[in-house]
Amino acid sequence: MPERFYITTAIDYVNGNPHLGHAYEKVLTDVLARHHRRRGESVFFLTGVDEHGIKVQQSAQKQGREPQEFCDEMAGRFESLYRRLNVSFDDFVRTTQPRHKTVVQRVLQKLYDDGEIYPDVYKGFYSTRQEQFLTEKDRVSGKFPESFGEVIELEEKVYFFRLAKYQDWLRGELEKNPDWIYPSFRTKEVLGALEAPIPDLCISRPKSRLAWGIPLPFDAEQVTYVWFDALINYISIIGYDGEKVGERWPAVHVIGKDIMVPAHAIYWPIMLKALKLPLPRLLLVHGWWTQNREKMSKSVGNVVDPLDLIESYGVDAFRYFVMREMALGYDADFSAEQFHLRYQGELGNTLGNLVNRAVSMITRYREGVVPSIKQEAITPADQSLRGDILAAVESYRSNMDKLQIHVAIMELWKGVARANQYVEESAPWKLAKDPALSGRLDVVLGELASGIYLLAGELEPILPGTVEKILLQLGGLPVLPGRSAPVWPSIPQGTRVGKAEPLFPRIELAAPQS
C-alpha cells in the first residue's frame, strides 16, 4: 500500500481579494503535492477559505448583502484563481459548509465535556481588525500599535480554552523536536513566545456582537472565535468522530510566517493535545513577498496581482518564477524586471529553445520520427551527456526532498543547459550534410529526445502545462514516473514528433507593473 501524504495550505480569509502571497502558497503546496505523487505516494491536498468572523460580517453589511452571499462570491474568486494556476487540490473547504460546522461543534462539545473549556467574564481591550483580545503587553510606548486598528474596551461573558495548562508540555515538545517547524530557526521564535506565561484562549464571542459564526453547541448565545473554527478544517474534512481522526492524519501544514504564532504553533498543537490527537507531521513556514524590500500592502499600493502576470506571461511562467525566486522559509523581493528576465532567459532561451530545436531537427532530418539507437553506437560524448543529466535529476530530487525547491530547480536547469551544450558540440546541422555521418546523426537526435523526455518528467510538478506540451511535441509520450532511481529512458520505436511550437513565445512588452 502506498505511503500516505496529507498536505494542507492555510485557508484564506475571504475579506479581501487573492494576491501574490495567496497564489505563491498554493503553488508551493501544489509543487510539493505533485512531487510526492510522482514518488508513488497516496497524496491528499486540501486548501480552501475561511468565511467567518466580524470582518466578513462588516464587509457584507457595507455592501448591503447577506454574509453568505458575500462569502459565496469571494470563495469563488479564490477557487477560480487556484484552478487557473493549475493547483491540483483534492478538496476545497469552506468553513460555512455543514461538514465543517458539524466537526467544529463536535470538537467544542468534547473539550467542554472534558473540562478544557469553561465560562468566564472577559474585561479588557479588543481589536476588531485582528479579531483578538489584547493585554497591556500589546501596548508600545503606552499605545496599541496601528496594526490592531480600532481597539475597544469590553466586558462580556465568554468561554475560554485551557491553553495555559499545556504551555510547559508544548515547550518540551519543541525543545525535543526543533525540526517539527521548517525552517528550524522558526522554532526559536515560538520558544521565545512561550517564555512568558500564556493566557487561556477566549474561544467565543456573544452572538449579540457577532452573529456570523458557528454557534457553541452548549451555549446558543455564543459563536466560535474565527481562529478556533478555522484551524479545525485540517481534521474536519478528513473526518473526526469525537475520538479519532481520519486515517490520512497527520498533515504537513504550509503556512505564512504571519500566522505561525500564536495560531498554528501554539493554539493548534495544544488543541490537538487536548483532543488526545497526534501533532501535525510538519509545520512548513514560508516568508513574505516584498517589493523594494517593503511588505506588500494595499495602503502602500505595492500589491502584485497574480492575474496580471498570468495574463501577460502564462500560468507556468508564474509558477516557475515564484518557485525559483523564493528560498523556502525566507522573504523574497518581487521584481517585474527579474520576472521578465527569467521568462526570456531560463524558460524561453534555455528550456523552450532546447525543445524547439530538437523537435524541429527531428522533423527536418528524420521526417518527424525519433531515430532508434543501438547501444553499440553510443560514444563517450553521449555517455557524458547521460551522466550529467542523470546527475542533475538526482540532485534535483534530493533538494526537493530537503525542501530546497529553488536549489532543486537550479540543479535541474544544469541538465537543460547540458543538453543545449550537447546540441552545440554535436552540431546536427553539420552531420546532416554528410551521408556518411547519418548513423551519428541518428544517435544525437535520439539522445537529445531521450534527455528532454527525462527532464520533462521531473519538471512536471513545477511546469505541468508546459510538460504536457513538451510530451505532445515528443509524440504524445506519457509522463515518466519518478518512483525509482532515474534511468536513461528509451523512446518507443517509430515515435513521431508533433509540430514544433514555441513553449514560451518571446514577449517584447515591458514587464508588468504592480
Side-chain angles (χ1 to χ4, degrees), residues 41 45 77 86 153 160 218 261 299 348 399:
E41 298 175 31
F45 172 12
R77 293 184 190 181
N86 222 338
E153 199 164 3
F160 288 84
F218 43 83
V261 175
S299 58
N399 279 286

Short mmCIF file of all heavy atoms in Angstrom, two decimals, residues 41 45 77 86 153 160 218 261 299 348 399:
data_model
loop_
_atom_site.label_atom_id
_atom_site.label_comp_id
_atom_site.label_asym_id
_atom_site.label_seq_id
_atom_site.Cartn_x
_atom_site.Cartn_y
_atom_site.Cartn_z
N GLU A 41 3.32 8.13 -3.81
CA GLU A 41 2.59 8.22 -2.55
C GLU A 41 1.12 8.56 -2.80
O GLU A 41 0.76 9.13 -3.83
CB GLU A 41 3.24 9.27 -1.64
CG GLU A 41 4.67 8.91 -1.26
CD GLU A 41 5.36 10.01 -0.45
OE1 GLU A 41 4.66 10.71 0.29
OE2 GLU A 41 6.59 10.15 -0.58
N PHE A 45 -4.47 16.60 -0.88
CA PHE A 45 -4.09 18.01 -0.85
C PHE A 45 -5.34 18.84 -0.59
O PHE A 45 -6.28 18.84 -1.38
CB PHE A 45 -3.43 18.35 -2.19
CG PHE A 45 -3.14 19.81 -2.46
CD1 PHE A 45 -3.21 20.78 -1.49
CD2 PHE A 45 -2.75 20.21 -3.74
CE1 PHE A 45 -2.93 22.11 -1.75
CE2 PHE A 45 -2.47 21.54 -4.03
CZ PHE A 45 -2.57 22.49 -3.03
N ARG A 77 -13.85 33.51 -6.17
CA ARG A 77 -12.66 34.20 -6.70
C ARG A 77 -11.39 33.43 -6.35
O ARG A 77 -10.49 33.27 -7.18
CB ARG A 77 -12.57 35.62 -6.15
CG ARG A 77 -13.68 36.54 -6.64
CD ARG A 77 -13.46 37.96 -6.14
NE ARG A 77 -14.63 38.80 -6.40
CZ ARG A 77 -14.71 40.08 -6.09
NH1 ARG A 77 -13.68 40.67 -5.48
NH2 ARG A 77 -15.80 40.78 -6.36
N ASN A 86 -3.47 25.94 -12.03
CA ASN A 86 -3.22 24.51 -12.17
C ASN A 86 -2.88 23.87 -10.83
O ASN A 86 -2.05 22.95 -10.76
CB ASN A 86 -2.11 24.23 -13.19
CG ASN A 86 -2.44 23.07 -14.10
OD1 ASN A 86 -3.26 22.22 -13.77
ND2 ASN A 86 -1.79 23.02 -15.24
N GLU A 153 -12.93 48.78 24.51
CA GLU A 153 -12.92 48.16 25.83
C GLU A 153 -14.22 47.38 26.00
O GLU A 153 -15.31 47.89 25.71
CB GLU A 153 -12.78 49.23 26.91
CG GLU A 153 -12.32 48.66 28.23
CD GLU A 153 -11.82 49.73 29.18
OE1 GLU A 153 -11.88 50.93 28.81
OE2 GLU A 153 -11.37 49.38 30.28
N PHE A 160 -13.56 30.19 27.59
CA PHE A 160 -12.11 30.09 27.44
C PHE A 160 -11.66 28.63 27.28
O PHE A 160 -12.25 27.73 27.89
CB PHE A 160 -11.39 30.70 28.65
CG PHE A 160 -11.48 32.19 28.71
CD1 PHE A 160 -12.58 32.82 29.27
CD2 PHE A 160 -10.45 32.99 28.20
CE1 PHE A 160 -12.67 34.21 29.33
CE2 PHE A 160 -10.52 34.37 28.26
CZ PHE A 160 -11.63 34.98 28.83
N PHE A 218 -23.07 24.14 23.36
CA PHE A 218 -23.53 24.17 24.75
C PHE A 218 -24.01 25.55 25.18
O PHE A 218 -24.37 25.75 26.34
CB PHE A 218 -22.42 23.68 25.68
CG PHE A 218 -21.05 24.22 25.35
CD1 PHE A 218 -20.66 25.47 25.78
CD2 PHE A 218 -20.18 23.47 24.58
CE1 PHE A 218 -19.42 25.97 25.47
CE2 PHE A 218 -18.93 23.96 24.25
CZ PHE A 218 -18.53 25.21 24.69
N VAL A 261 2.71 32.17 14.89
CA VAL A 261 2.48 32.47 16.30
C VAL A 261 1.38 33.53 16.39
O VAL A 261 1.47 34.57 15.74
CB VAL A 261 3.76 33.00 16.97
CG1 VAL A 261 3.47 33.43 18.41
CG2 VAL A 261 4.86 31.95 16.97
N SER A 299 -2.40 49.66 1.36
CA SER A 299 -2.23 51.06 1.71
C SER A 299 -0.99 51.66 1.05
O SER A 299 -0.99 52.83 0.66
CB SER A 299 -2.13 51.21 3.24
OG SER A 299 -1.05 50.45 3.74
N GLY A 348 12.48 30.72 -21.84
CA GLY A 348 12.46 30.83 -23.30
C GLY A 348 13.73 30.37 -23.98
O GLY A 348 13.73 29.43 -24.79
N ASN A 399 17.23 17.71 -3.48
CA ASN A 399 16.93 19.04 -2.96
C ASN A 399 15.43 19.25 -2.77
O ASN A 399 15.02 19.97 -1.85
CB ASN A 399 17.52 20.11 -3.87
CG ASN A 399 18.99 20.33 -3.61
OD1 ASN A 399 19.38 20.92 -2.61
ND2 ASN A 399 19.84 19.81 -4.50
#
